[in-house]
Amino acid sequence: MSANSALRRAGTVTALTAAAVLAAAGAASAHVTVHPESYAKGATDGVLTFRVPNEEDNASTTKVQVYLPTDHPVLGVLVSPQDGWTAKVTTTKLKTPVKTDDGTITEAASEITWTGGKIGAGQYEDFNVAFGQLPEDTDQLTFKALQTYSDGKVVRWIEEAASGGEEPENPAPTLKLTASDEAAASAAPATKSSAKATTTASGDASDSTARGLGIAGLIVGALGLAAAAFAFVRTRGARS
């Protein structure tokens, strides 16, 4: 094998490896998520944002369905008007009514469906949902979601990650509920929104940094293999 041929092959391997790594990183992050990632148990008067990215190149997202748990209900749900989208909130009678300072709640939202809009390729949409109160008797809330495309494809974001296990292929949006003292920074009404925004931004930045470092490491490794191939070819050439 000539030196030029070996170098071309090494370069091809490097390029293909880098492209595969970047493609895998993009696919891993393209799923429906809820923000912020955590709230205090029993938190009141807050907002949950469901972020829906379009992961298809030749189809648009035309329908989004989010299912709210009723065994640990989210009380006082209100949807924010969304340009081009129509929201429908379905309520369900609770098996176990919830007692609050304002009385006993017997019904709660179980599903929110957005239709009429469009999320194109390479785009995402944020759907904001206000709540009156989050439950106090659970450590997390799982919001199963369905994403329907213009070509009829339906992606079911309904899988729950096992404790300590890897993220499933189609993970459901999950909100962690923490003890009140762990969320003291967001307790003051005047700074609640800014504190949540900072926490979310920091978390997103940390995730992005970790992914970036991992991708960079893999690409550097691929470049190292190419350099080794080049050195090997030069050594053989010198000996011959």
Side-chain angles (χ1 to χ4, degrees):
M1 180 185 297
S2 69
N4 288 337
S5 177
L7 289 175
R8 283 197 299 270
R9 180 171 295 184
T12 300
V13 171
T14 301
L16 290 176
T17 301
V21 170
L22 293 174
S29 61
H31 54 259
V32 178
T33 53
V34 61
H35 302 274
E37 296 180 352
S38 66
Y39 253 114
K41 293 181 178 180
T44 58
D45 301 327
V47 175
L48 298 175
T49 298
F50 293 93
R51 177 161 295 176
V52 183
N54 190 89
E55 59 177 5
E56 296 292 321
D57 294 330
N58 302 310
S60 301
T61 296
T62 56
K63 182 179 180 180
V64 176
Q65 296 164 270
V66 174
Y67 295 87
L68 288 71
T70 54
D71 52 347
H72 303 288
V74 178
L75 305 180
V77 167
L78 295 172
V79 294
S80 175
Q82 197 87 0
D83 288 343
W85 294 88
T86 298
K88 177 184 177 182
V89 180
T90 301
T91 59
T92 298
K93 187 173 182 178
L94 300 175
K95 293 182 178 179
T96 304
V98 179
K99 294 182 179 180
T100 70
D101 294 338
D102 298 323
T104 300
I105 306 298
T106 59
E107 291 186 347
S110 58
E111 178 186 348
I112 305 175
T113 301
W114 288 272
T115 55
K118 182 176 70 173
I119 307 173
Q123 300 178 341
Y124 73 90
E125 190 90 32
D126 282 341
F127 297 91
N128 295 322
V129 177
F131 63 82
Q133 183 175 341
L134 295 178
E136 302 180 26
D137 57 351
T138 185
D139 293 328
Q140 69 176 31
L141 294 175
T142 299
F143 301 96
K144 296 182 179 182
L146 301 183
Q147 182 177 10
T148 302
Y149 286 90
S150 55
D151 60 2
K153 178 180 179 181
V154 178
V155 181
R156 301 167 62 83
W157 303 103
I158 62 174
E159 298 176 11
E160 299 183 40
S163 179
E166 295 183 358
E167 184 178 75
E169 182 177 357
N170 293 316
T174 301
L175 177 71
K176 296 179 181 179
L177 297 181
T178 63
S180 297
D181 55 355
E182 296 178 18
S186 63
T191 60
K192 182 182 293 185
S193 297
S194 60
K196 290 171 188 170
T198 301
T199 301
T200 302
S202 299
D204 290 346
S206 298
D207 291 344
S208 299
T209 300
R211 286 196 296 268
L213 290 175
I215 293 169
L218 290 172
I219 294 176
V220 169
L223 293 174
L225 290 175
F230 176 75
F232 175 73
V233 171
R234 289 193 60 184
T235 301
R236 290 190 60 183
R239 288 179 180 176
S240 60

